[in-house]
Amino acid sequence: MNPFSSRPLAEIPDGAATGLSVPHEAAWEHVTGKALYTDDLPCRSSNVLYAWPLQVYAAHARIDSLDTSTAKTMPGVVRVLTAEDVPGINDYGDLGDEPLFPEEVQYHGQHVAWVLAESLEEARLATEAIKISITELPSIITTQEAIAAGQFQGPRATLARGDADAALANAPHRISGGIDIQGQEHFYLETQASFATIDESGQVFIQCSTQAPSHTQEVAARVLGVPSNQVTVQCLRMGGGFGGKETNANAFAAVAALGAVLTGRPVSLRLNRTQDMTMTGKRGGFHASWEAGLDDDGHILAYKAVLTADGGCSVDLSPAVVSRALCHIDNAYYLPNVHVVGQVARTNKTSHTAFRGFGAPAGMIVTEDLLGQAATKLGIGEEEIRRRNFYAPGQTTPYEQVVSHAARMPVMWEKLKKTSDYEARLRQVAEFNAHHEHIKRGLAITPVKFGVSFNKPFLNQAGALVLIYRDGSVLINHGGTEMGQGLHTKMLQVAATALGVPLRRVRLAPTRTDKVPNTSATSASTGSDLNGGAVKNACEIILDRLAPVAAGLLGVNANEVRITDGAVGGLGTDKSVSWAELIETAYLQRVSLSAAGYYRTEGLFFDSKTYKGNAFKYYARGVAVAEVEVDGYTGAYTMRRVDLLHDVGCSLSPLIDLGQVEGAFVQGVGWLTQEDLRWDTSDGAGRGKLLTQAASTYKLPSFSELPQAFNVNLYVDEHPSDDGSIYGSKAVGEPPLMLSIAVREALRAAAAAFGDAGRQVELPSPATAEAVYWALDRARRQAPTPVLVTD
């Protein structure tokens, strides 16, 4: 038996570097400006060309002619790229529906050609000299328009269990509703950027802000008509991604690579903010209609829903987004009889794509909306109706996966109720509302159950390369990308823990496709699980080689060797040697000190046709309590207090995880209450234009809108081996975003408080101040003149 690689994945050795609260590995570089991003690289090179797009400002149009002759003669212009220049396949998608240089414009602002010039300004001026003739075509802008016209794309999915129709017909109480869930702009700080160079042998090197270097490599090679081994993609780091650089980066990387190949010069392509917001996909909106049957105690007996995602102009990842929505429509609740249909609408907008949480937030919102409405109708407290519907141990999801450790949710629920003083504050809110006519407060508690793994099993794999040098220093490469979330920090801690050496001995190299091939995107909250498993595997392969060497030095059996904090010892002996001495001895004995590691998530299977299977490795859970105060004159609100409790298992890096929970929650609040994407839906010349294409028109959360009291705690798993994840940790990238649902439900409660008790309040998403005002105004208009309670 191998002494190190036989250890369970979740077993935490003595002296582990994981679990330590350490700062982000590049924090100092970030705050001092030393950290390099893709757009910092061109100035370190010479002879660079800069790319500028020709955009067509029509929602849907046929290109009749494109004349670039004048533009080619403009000062500084070296090349104008069009479809005729593509040596390979003129498409950057995987389904053939995303042409790099289209003949038909599918959204307002789509790029159809690129100018390469000595400076960005010269490239911009040259695009104005390109003569283009178009014929505008009918367009579909909203999801509702697409539904009415029957414009759908990709497969239609159905999640079903039991007999929803029969259960609905026999249910004591029936309730129905619908909700439009708006999308969200990624608004990463660093816009899309690529920098491509070519060497004397024709090897293409693309430095790119991408979450999926291997996919970017494949797309660039396809466009260039060369094998993947002629293209190398490197990602130093990203200034944010949130899913927006999972597939969207590919088109811009391909353009930069094409320009470098055709000119033999380095090509820099970076979008400005307006271009980025206009030309890239977003979190797609959803239109949902639902109907449910409940018993007298508020248990859901039947649930039917249709979820229609706005996919934009092409398929991209929208079917997977819908799949994630369907597999999370249950959230933390048992649904005995369910029939949910998911479909993707085709609209003339940018092709919507991955965003933190994928489709899970939309699926959860629909069910939370249902329970909020049902609580009012049945006269049951919203906290109570949610608790009554929680999964019990042994129960299965609608896709027939047993909900592991279902008992943890009520434990976390009760714990946060106690620490947040929920019951007392609920009474205080009621008393405040009774004394105030024009200001009302709302308090809500909501759960999150998030499945972790890619829904497509083949994506759940990762690789790593670990190198140990003669002086004992360690260099690790893995396939994950760093977008500020702290993945690299965690991988350093994993490597130090696996090898038993101090953290200072380990360094991390940038993510490159010529070091670790065929990697999955850093998304779906799997970055730490997959890459951590691969790093640990590579380290343990080397340790298994080192064990006999150490055994010879110590006079013990190889199985008795232990390495802790750089000291190599053995069971039953006081003798020890240093890590550096062990490595030098192994080198002299011609023992290999490098290894390629690999990890695949076991136990996953999912049939996308029947929607049955073990879709996820485990579930991450969280609970949120939010209290808001709403102004009855304006709908403006204040988050008075937020309490979060999130399950991270045995955290790999608590300080990183705490930041992830806080950041995800705030981003979720932005999505649900502030960030209001608007397109021109008129029949005028601007039809299809994104109206919110800058920070001046697109409202992002700011420091002034953070909760006045913000209490965030990590729920520590006492049984780290239960879920079989790396050192007992759990994903923390996406799940906390949905804790923000509590804020929306608190706003609904506050709006309802302006009217009679027992009245249902419908609240749009996002619940902007304007939307909250109209909701509370409807509640107020339906209520008689209030009689205020006085002291």
Side-chain angles (χ1 to χ4, degrees):
M1 178 182 291
N2 293 322
F4 290 95
S5 59
S6 60
R7 290 176 177 173
L9 186 66
E11 182 181 314
I12 304 173
D14 293 337
T18 56
L20 301 177
S21 289
V22 299
H24 191 285
E25 51 91 24
W28 181 252
E29 289 81 2
H30 288 165
V31 299
T32 59
K34 291 183 179 179
L36 293 178
Y37 294 85
T38 301
D39 195 46
D40 293 318
L41 305 175
C43 66
R44 293 169 170 249
S45 186
S46 60
N47 211 26
V48 176
L49 295 176
Y50 296 87
W52 189 274
L54 171 65
Q55 296 176 264
V56 176
Y57 299 108
H60 188 199
R62 182 180 64 249
I63 300 176
D64 298 320
S65 65
L66 185 68
D67 182 359
T68 63
S69 58
T70 303
K72 291 177 180 177
T73 66
M74 296 284 285
V77 174
V78 174
R79 187 99 187 202
V80 179
L81 302 178
T82 66
E84 297 176 353
D85 296 307
V86 177
I89 299 174
N90 181 31
D91 196 278
Y92 62 91
D94 293 329
L95 301 176
D97 62 346
E98 296 181 87
L100 190 62
F101 299 96
E103 295 179 354
E104 189 173 299
V105 175
Q106 297 293 341
Y107 65 87
H108 194 283
Q110 186 170 10
H111 54 97
V112 298
W114 290 81
V115 175
L116 306 180
E118 302 289 349
S119 71
L120 205 57
E121 179 63 9
E122 288 172 326
R124 184 190 70 80
L125 291 172
T127 61
E128 297 179 358
I130 296 176
K131 299 174 183 178
I132 184 169
S133 176
I134 65 172
T135 299
E136 293 203 37
L137 303 171
S139 60
I140 292 174
I141 306 303
T142 68
T143 309
Q144 290 84 345
E145 289 175 356
I147 293 173
Q151 290 293 313
F152 300 100
Q153 56 187 336
R156 198 167 188 259
T158 301
L159 174 72
R161 174 169 63 185
D163 190 337
D165 287 322
L168 190 62
N170 296 322
H173 303 281
R174 295 177 64 168
I175 185 171
S176 62
I179 183 172
D180 285 303
I181 306 166
Q182 185 60 279
Q184 186 177 20
E185 166 63 36
H186 298 90
F187 219 101
Y188 25 65
L189 291 181
E190 176 201 26
T191 57
Q192 299 283 352
S194 290
F195 180 55
T197 58
I198 185 167
D199 66 15
E200 77 285 349
S201 66
Q203 175 77 16
V204 181
F205 182 43
I206 307 171
Q207 304 216 54
C208 182
S209 187
T210 175
Q211 293 177 235
S214 288
H215 194 205
T216 300
Q217 174 193 33
E218 293 165 10
V219 170
R222 185 193 313 155
V223 169
L224 297 175
V226 300
S228 291
N229 65 359
Q230 283 190 227
V231 178
T232 298
V233 175
Q234 174 173 288
C235 178
L236 285 173
R237 58 173 57 83
M238 285 169 278
F242 311 119
K245 295 174 181 176
E246 184 171 343
T247 60
N248 276 200
N250 296 341
F252 310 112
V255 169
L258 177 62
V261 168
L262 294 179
T263 65
R265 294 175 58 178
V267 173
S268 172
L269 188 159
R270 181 188 63 82
L271 303 184
N272 62 33
R273 180 62 62 188
T274 299
Q275 290 169 339
D276 196 285
M277 295 185 73
T278 302
M279 296 163 60
T280 64
K282 312 179 188 316
R283 184 195 296 278
F286 272 79
H287 172 76
S289 57
W290 53 265
E291 189 175 9
L294 300 95
D295 64 17
D296 293 334
D297 294 324
H299 296 109
I300 299 174
L301 303 176
Y303 191 7
K304 296 186 68 177
V306 177
L307 274 58
T308 304
D310 182 352
C313 65
S314 67
V315 173
D316 192 50
L317 297 173
S318 291
V321 169
V322 168
S323 176
R324 179 71 63 154
L326 264 59
C327 288
H328 283 81
I329 198 165
D330 59 329
N331 194 7
Y333 313 113
Y334 177 64
L335 307 176
N337 299 283
V338 60
H339 188 276
V340 183
V341 173
Q343 56 192 3
V344 181
R346 190 178 189 279
T347 59
N348 292 112
K349 297 177 185 170
T350 53
S351 183
H352 296 317
T353 189
F355 201 121
R356 197 175 197 169
F358 229 53
M364 291 183 188
I365 279 285
V366 178
T367 302
E368 295 297 342
D369 189 60
L370 180 162
L371 286 170
Q373 301 282 10
T376 303
K377 181 174 181 178
L378 299 180
I380 303 172
E382 293 195 17
E383 180 276 331
E384 180 64 16
I385 199 171
R386 287 180 166 86
R387 185 190 61 78
R388 290 179 184 180
N389 281 283
F390 283 166
Y391 276 104
Q395 289 181 331
T396 61
T397 66
Y399 46 91
E400 296 185 352
Q401 178 169 345
V402 175
V403 179
S404 58
H405 314 298
R408 287 183 190 161
M409 180 57 77
V411 170
M412 294 177 64
W413 188 260
E414 294 302 322
K415 182 174 182 177
L416 189 63
K417 279 182 62 181
K418 182 177 180 180
T419 58
S420 68
D421 204 15
Y422 178 83
E423 297 291 352
R425 289 169 59 203
L426 196 62
R427 293 190 294 270
Q428 292 167 6
V429 165
E431 183 178 357
F432 178 90
N433 290 342
H435 285 79
H436 295 80
E437 180 181 359
H438 301 298
I439 300 176
K440 302 292 183 183
R441 292 177 181 172
L443 183 70
I445 179 170
T446 57
V448 168
K449 175 185 68 67
F450 186 91
V452 179
S453 289
F454 287 101
N455 272 30
K456 294 182 178 179
F458 74 88
L459 292 173
N460 295 283
Q461 58 177 310
L465 177 64
V466 173
L467 314 173
I468 301 179
Y469 297 95
R470 284 184 66 179
D471 63 356
S473 62
V474 181
L475 181 67
I476 63 172
N477 301 262
H478 64 89
T481 55
E482 175 63 45
M483 60 193 95
Q485 84 278 35
L487 176 61
H488 283 354
T489 306
K490 289 185 174 182
M491 294 305 97
L492 291 169
Q493 290 179 271
V494 166
T497 297
L499 293 173
V501 300
L503 195 55
R504 65 179 181 275
R505 277 200 175 270
V506 187
R507 190 177 76 82
L508 189 137
T511 307
R512 286 176 62 123
T513 57
D514 60 354
K515 296 294 186 294
V516 182
N518 309 318
T519 57
S520 297
T522 304
S523 62
S525 300
T526 61
S528 294
D529 289 359
L530 297 180
N531 294 289
V535 168
K536 182 174 184 285
N537 175 244
C539 291
E540 290 176 341
I541 290 172
I542 298 173
L543 288 175
D544 284 340
R545 299 173 190 157
L546 292 175
V549 179
L553 291 171
L554 300 170
V556 298
N557 187 283
N559 288 326
E560 297 173 331
V561 172
R562 298 293 184 270
I563 306 174
T564 304
D565 199 29
V568 184
L571 300 179
T573 179
D574 294 330
K575 187 177 180 181
S576 68
V577 297
S578 69
W579 169 258
E581 183 180 350
L582 171 62
I583 297 303
E584 176 66 12
T585 303
Y587 171 76
L588 295 174
Q589 293 182 13
R590 295 186 294 179
V591 174
S592 173
L593 296 174
S594 68
Y598 180 76
Y599 176 77
R600 53 178 285 177
T601 308
E602 299 293 347
L604 300 178
F605 58 92
F606 186 73
D607 188 333
S608 59
K609 294 180 180 178
T610 62
Y611 264 72
K612 304 296 181 186
N614 265 31
F616 305 111
K617 176 66 175 176
Y618 61 85
Y619 295 101
R621 295 173 171 86
V623 184
V625 171
E627 182 180 343
V628 301
E629 183 173 287
V630 172
D631 185 328
Y633 292 110
T634 64
Y637 74 92
T638 300
M639 280 191 284
R640 288 174 45 78
R641 177 176 167 179
V642 167
D643 295 81
L644 307 179
L645 180 62
H646 192 74
D647 175 17
V648 297
C650 290
S651 174
L652 292 176
S653 193
L655 192 60
I656 296 293
D657 284 350
L658 191 65
Q660 283 292 286
V661 174
E662 293 170 343
F665 171 81
V666 172
Q667 190 170 49
V669 170
W671 167 56
L672 288 175
T673 68
Q674 298 177 29
E675 300 179 42
D676 194 6
L677 286 168
R678 297 288 182 96
W679 279 268
D680 187 337
T681 57
S682 72
D683 293 326
R687 179 171 171 80
K689 177 182 179 180
L690 177 64
L691 301 175
T692 51
Q693 56 182 237
S696 58
T697 50
Y698 185 74
K699 180 69 181 78
L700 294 164
S702 61
F703 283 114
S704 62
E705 290 143 347
L706 290 176
Q708 294 174 346
F710 196 13
N711 304 312
V712 182
N713 287 288
L714 304 179
Y715 179 81
V716 180
D717 194 339
E718 297 177 356
H719 305 284
S721 63
D722 285 348
D723 293 309
S725 52
I726 180 70
Y727 293 130
S729 66
K730 286 189 178 181
V732 73
E734 294 173 292
L737 183 135
M738 285 139 284
L739 295 172
S740 60
I741 294 173
V743 175
R744 182 181 185 274
E745 291 304 300
L747 287 172
R748 186 218 295 272
F754 283 90
D756 282 346
R759 288 190 183 276
Q760 294 175 228
V761 171
E762 295 183 0
L763 194 60
S765 181
T768 61
E770 180 184 29
V772 171
Y773 174 78
W774 291 120
L776 70 85
D777 189 59
R778 285 191 297 271
R780 190 162 45 195
R781 288 174 184 274
Q782 294 173 358
T785 303
V787 177
L788 296 182
V789 178
T790 58
D791 292 331

